[in-house]
Amino acid sequence: MEVILSKNAGFCYGVKRAVDMAVSVQEKYNKKIYTLGPLIHNNDVVSYLKTLNIFSIEIEDIESLKKNDIVIIRSHGIPLEIFNKLKQKEVITIDATCTYVSNIQQKVKKYYDSGYSILIVGDKNHPEVIGINGWCNNSAIITNDSDELQHLPRKICVVSQTTEKQSRWENVLEKVVKFSKEIVAFNTICSATGVRQKSAYDLSEDVDCMIVIGGKNSSNTTKLYEICTKNCRNTIHIENFKEIPLELLNNKNIKKIGVTAGASTPDWVINETINKLSNR
Ligand code: SF4
């Protein structure tokens, strides 16, 4: 069996930065550290961080934090009001918001303060989008389905969730051009997502089976899965090598397997999967 790893797969810049920051903050302070929500959408990494005394808490838990507790903001970022709350509580806040996401937050704040309505092309339940919306007083119109847009304000600033699909961004913009008169649009889809999606798309055209590795709760991994399924019906989504189905390992008709991984999947999880497949 030939196993081919997609050209671009695994940790992106922002996720790697957040994990590296968490590890170095622990080295510096050597005490219990909290992250607001799981640092990244990957259970294996979250379990690893627990061994380093780094634990995930929820927004509601901020109330019980004490002065000089340490909280890490994950790469998805948080709403402005949560930053302010942490400041009031006098906790040590380590901001690991991906710099690309901070850039969107700043743009949204700037244009909201100048009188623009904000439209975020993305999933309203995704933490990154919830965070961005918190920089325009939670007033944004949020959708990634152009059919949902029937009216729009005259003056509008459009940004995108970093992991959004280019095609959805284009469809929404077509609608915006019809309804709004004064438009500022920033295509803030992260290139890390685009290159992973393109490589996965190309590879999935050429293999008998495609394995997408990453958290089941990771939106960019789920999108890779959707993209690969279009070319290769025999696509599976696993979190780690333990989930590789036995039937796949025993299927002699599968000669070529493609492997890709979401931006929140660490190298060690990818390597374990490749080793398991190669050892078949
Ligand atoms: S996908 Fe892009 S925006 Fe999101 S964390 Fe990674 S580098 Fe940052």
Side-chain angles (χ1 to χ4, degrees):
M1 184 200 290
E2 190 184 355
V3 183
I4 308 169
L5 176 62
S6 178
K7 257 192 247 151
N8 302 95
F11 268 6
C12 62
Y13 150 77
V15 166
K16 182 172 185 318
R17 178 172 169 269
V19 174
D20 288 349
M21 276 171 92
V23 172
S24 62
V25 166
Q26 181 53 282
E27 279 166 8
K28 180 173 172 194
Y29 290 94
N30 193 23
K31 60 186 261 195
K32 193 167 187 177
I33 290 175
Y34 304 100
T35 64
L36 267 192
L39 189 65
I40 64 173
H41 284 157
N42 185 286
N43 291 331
D44 292 298
V45 176
V46 170
S47 305
Y48 166 68
L49 292 173
K50 278 186 192 160
T51 67
L52 299 182
N53 212 11
I54 301 173
F55 296 91
S56 164
I57 56 168
E58 298 304 320
I59 301 274
E60 308 77 75
D61 300 325
I62 292 177
E63 293 307 332
S64 51
L65 290 173
K66 296 183 287 301
K67 186 176 173 180
N68 291 333
D69 276 345
I70 302 173
V71 173
I72 302 174
I73 309 304
R74 56 191 179 169
S75 56
H76 294 317
I78 53 170
L80 182 56
E81 60 178 356
I82 305 292
F83 262 116
N84 292 337
K85 204 176 238 180
L86 290 169
K87 213 179 196 178
Q88 275 166 18
K89 298 286 292 182
E90 296 184 77
V91 302
I92 300 168
T93 306
I94 311 290
D95 186 6
T97 307
C98 177
T99 49
Y100 300 143
V101 177
S102 318
N103 176 40
I104 304 174
Q105 295 170 342
Q106 293 307 324
K107 281 187 162 64
V108 159
K109 182 167 186 333
K110 175 179 162 190
Y111 283 92
Y112 175 72
D113 289 346
S114 337
Y116 285 78
S117 298
I118 305 295
L119 168 60
I120 306 171
V121 184
D123 170 4
K124 64 178 185 311
N125 298 315
H126 191 279
E128 178 192 302
V129 173
I130 293 169
I132 294 168
N133 193 20
W135 291 74
C136 59
N137 208 15
N138 299 312
S139 66
I141 303 158
I142 305 170
T143 185
N144 53 20
D145 178 359
S146 55
D147 292 340
E148 283 179 5
L149 297 174
Q150 301 308 336
H151 311 280
L152 280 172
R154 199 180 171 282
K155 197 171 164 181
I156 199 159
C157 168
V158 195
V159 295
S160 168
Q161 183 179 335
T162 56
T163 47
E164 192 47 81
K165 279 188 189 158
Q166 179 72 19
S167 55
R168 287 188 185 152
W169 163 259
E170 286 168 11
N171 290 344
V172 169
L173 266 200
E174 254 180 50
K175 274 281 179 76
V176 173
V177 170
K178 274 187 196 150
F179 290 125
S180 302
K181 297 287 175 210
E182 199 175 330
I183 304 161
V184 183
F186 299 99
N187 181 342
T188 48
I189 296 174
C190 173
S191 61
T193 310
V195 292
R196 273 160 190 70
Q197 291 180 352
K198 169 87 172 66
S199 314
Y201 182 87
D202 292 346
L203 181 58
S204 61
E205 277 185 321
D206 193 38
V207 292
D208 305 313
C209 168
M210 197 68 203
I211 298 190
V212 182
I213 318 166
K216 296 275 159 61
N217 54 351
S218 153
S219 88
N220 75 83
T221 307
T222 311
K223 276 178 191 152
L224 284 177
Y225 172 76
E226 284 168 20
I227 286 166
C228 293
T229 312
K230 283 192 188 137
N231 283 334
C232 176
R233 287 179 61 194
N234 200 5
T235 296
I236 56 167
H237 178 177
I238 59 170
E239 293 213 344
N240 55 46
F241 79 97
K242 292 180 198 136
E243 294 182 5
I244 302 172
L246 209 57
E247 314 85 74
L248 190 146
L249 293 171
N250 293 332
N251 188 338
K252 297 223 163 48
N253 294 323
I254 295 176
K255 306 270 186 256
K256 233 185 195 184
I257 294 195
V259 175
T260 187
S264 44
T265 310
D267 283 353
W268 88 75
V269 173
I270 300 173
N271 291 336
E272 282 171 347
T273 305
I274 290 178
N275 288 342
K276 176 87 179 178
L277 294 168
S278 306
N279 289 339
R280 185 183 82 163

